[in-house]
Amino acid sequence: MKKLSLVICVYNEEPNILPLAVQIKSALAGIDFEAIYVDDGSTDNTRAEILKINDPRFLLVELKRNYGQSSALQAGIDQAEGEFVALIDGDLQNDPLDIPKMLKMMEEEEWDMVAGVRANRKDGMFLRKVPSKIANYMIRKSTGMKMKDLGCTLKIFTRETIKSIHIYGELHRYIPALVALEGATRLTQVDVNHRPREFGSSKYNLGRTTRVMSDLILMVFFKKYLQRPMHFFGSIGIVTLILGVLINLYFLVEKILGHNIWGKPLLLLGILLVMGGIQFITIGIIAELQMRTYFESQNKKPYRVKRVVDTKNKQVILSR
């Protein structure tokens, strides 16, 4: 087994491929590593540049089309065979020289994840830095994660930690939260070097804001209600149903007393609340069934065991 697997997602990064490969070889001299370039459907000569590296330690995973960073990362992680797995951008803004010190922290201090923090970020203020700071603040407050820079790709994980999750949609921003949901508790961060982009153009823009917000709502739901969706949908459904029933009872009394109730907006609201309440409760039941299927069909456990200790001999029988 290799000591380290490097996963590098690239999309139209032709001029950055060979310089990054040279830097990786220099920075990781003496470390048994593999570097997995994932070409996410590039339309330039990115693939040809990767093949020019001509080093058995460098692998090319070529996707059939552009799937996005999350799917590309997952493709690379699936191929990774190292004891530790590092994620790094392919645009030369992350510095491979930071990887050995992060790897040393992983080994000596037994972290599940060491994440980079771009201490002196070399990006535009209003289009990149300000939106990123706002997004990081909202994510920290919503998920309880204490990470300063969730947008920094440079991270190192133990093999078990990163293989325990699956990255769908655009959840690559929330990898620390995902591994925490799977039981990883030893997560830390360290300042890393960040360099200005020299070649090519950034693939990020403000149009991603709505997708970040949508994914944030999903992550909050995962964190609080993944194993008990009925508590979320059922609570909303019961409150909605009770309000609707009370409104309808009021109009029933009005009707019995001979008052004309037809066409009143409050009556229509009462009917909608009853129907909505029933739907929320139904969704909760379906979601509960899906969660049971998710855990039982894959023999997953709703918990993670850290260690089992023989209390008589004070020996660790099982350690994760």
Side-chain angles (χ1 to χ4, degrees), residues 15-66:
N16 294 315
I17 300 300
L18 293 179
L20 179 58
V22 171
Q23 293 179 18
I24 289 172
K25 292 178 185 179
S26 175
L28 302 185
I31 299 175
D32 185 20
F33 76 93
E34 63 176 359
I36 304 168
Y37 273 98
V38 182
D39 180 16
D40 190 20
S42 296
T43 56
D44 62 0
N45 291 321
T46 293
R47 174 182 177 276
E49 290 296 301
I50 296 172
L51 293 176
K52 286 181 183 178
I53 298 172
N54 194 27
D55 187 318
R57 296 173 298 178
F58 286 76
L59 307 176
L60 167 62
V61 176
E62 187 177 2
L63 302 186
K64 289 188 174 181
R65 63 174 177 84
N66 179 243

Side-chain angles (χ1 to χ4, degrees), residues 20-261:
L20 179 58
V22 171
Q23 293 179 18
I24 289 172
K25 292 178 185 179
S26 175
L28 302 185
I31 299 175
D32 185 20
F33 76 93
E34 63 176 359
I36 304 168
Y37 273 98
V38 182
D39 180 16
D40 190 20
S42 296
T43 56
D44 62 0
N45 291 321
T46 293
R47 174 182 177 276
E49 290 296 301
I50 296 172
L51 293 176
K52 286 181 183 178
I53 298 172
N54 194 27
D55 187 318
R57 296 173 298 178
F58 286 76
L59 307 176
L60 167 62
V61 176
E62 187 177 2
L63 302 186
K64 289 188 174 181
R65 63 174 177 84
N66 179 243
Y67 289 92
Q69 188 172 354
S70 290
S71 296
L73 279 173
Q74 186 62 58
I77 291 168
D78 288 342
Q79 294 293 324
E81 298 181 352
E83 180 183 352
F84 299 95
V85 178
L87 311 181
I88 184 172
D89 275 333
D91 56 11
L92 291 178
Q93 290 196 270
N94 292 146
D95 191 345
L97 285 172
D98 287 312
I99 295 175
K101 70 175 182 181
M102 297 171 72
L103 182 61
K104 185 177 180 181
M105 288 179 62
M106 291 288 294
E107 292 185 289
E108 293 182 354
E109 302 174 28
E110 298 184 350
W111 294 104
D112 294 321
M113 180 196 77
V114 175
V117 177
R118 295 166 290 187
N120 187 20
R121 188 173 177 183
K122 306 296 184 180
D123 280 323
M125 176 62 70
F126 295 105
L127 292 180
R128 298 292 298 276
K129 287 185 179 180
V130 172
S132 180
K133 286 182 179 295
I134 294 173
N136 281 322
Y137 175 80
M138 294 179 63
I139 293 170
R140 286 196 300 268
K141 290 297 183 182
S142 301
T143 64
M145 298 296 298
K146 303 302 181 184
M147 313 301 293
K148 294 179 182 178
D149 188 3
L150 288 161
C152 181
T153 300
L154 185 55
K155 301 178 179 71
I156 299 185
F157 307 83
T158 61
R159 175 184 174 85
E160 179 190 4
T161 298
I162 196 61
K163 293 283 188 178
S164 69
I165 66 170
H166 296 282
I167 311 169
Y168 300 101
E170 293 198 18
L171 292 179
H172 56 273
R173 302 176 186 87
Y174 302 95
I175 290 178
L178 290 172
V179 297
L181 285 172
E182 290 295 328
T185 56
R186 293 189 53 77
L187 312 177
T188 191
Q189 51 197 339
V190 62
D191 287 348
V192 296
N193 186 29
H194 190 249
R195 304 177 293 191
R197 177 183 270 273
E198 295 185 20
F199 309 108
S201 58
S202 174
K203 312 304 185 296
Y204 297 90
N205 55 62
L206 292 177
R208 297 186 176 216
T209 304
T210 54
R211 284 174 280 177
V212 173
M213 296 301 298
S214 300
D215 289 338
L216 178 57
I217 294 172
L218 179 63
M219 289 308 306
V220 172
F221 178 81
F222 278 175
K223 183 174 179 62
K224 295 184 176 181
Y225 300 104
L226 178 63
Q227 296 184 28
R228 47 191 181 96
M230 188 62 180
H231 288 189
F232 176 75
F233 293 108
S235 297
I236 297 175
I238 290 171
V239 171
T240 304
L241 182 61
I242 290 174
L243 288 175
V245 169
L246 291 175
I247 292 172
N248 290 334
L249 286 175
Y250 164 76
F251 280 104
L252 177 61
V253 173
E254 288 286 294
K255 182 66 175 179
I256 292 174
L257 294 177
H259 298 152
N260 181 23
I261 63 172

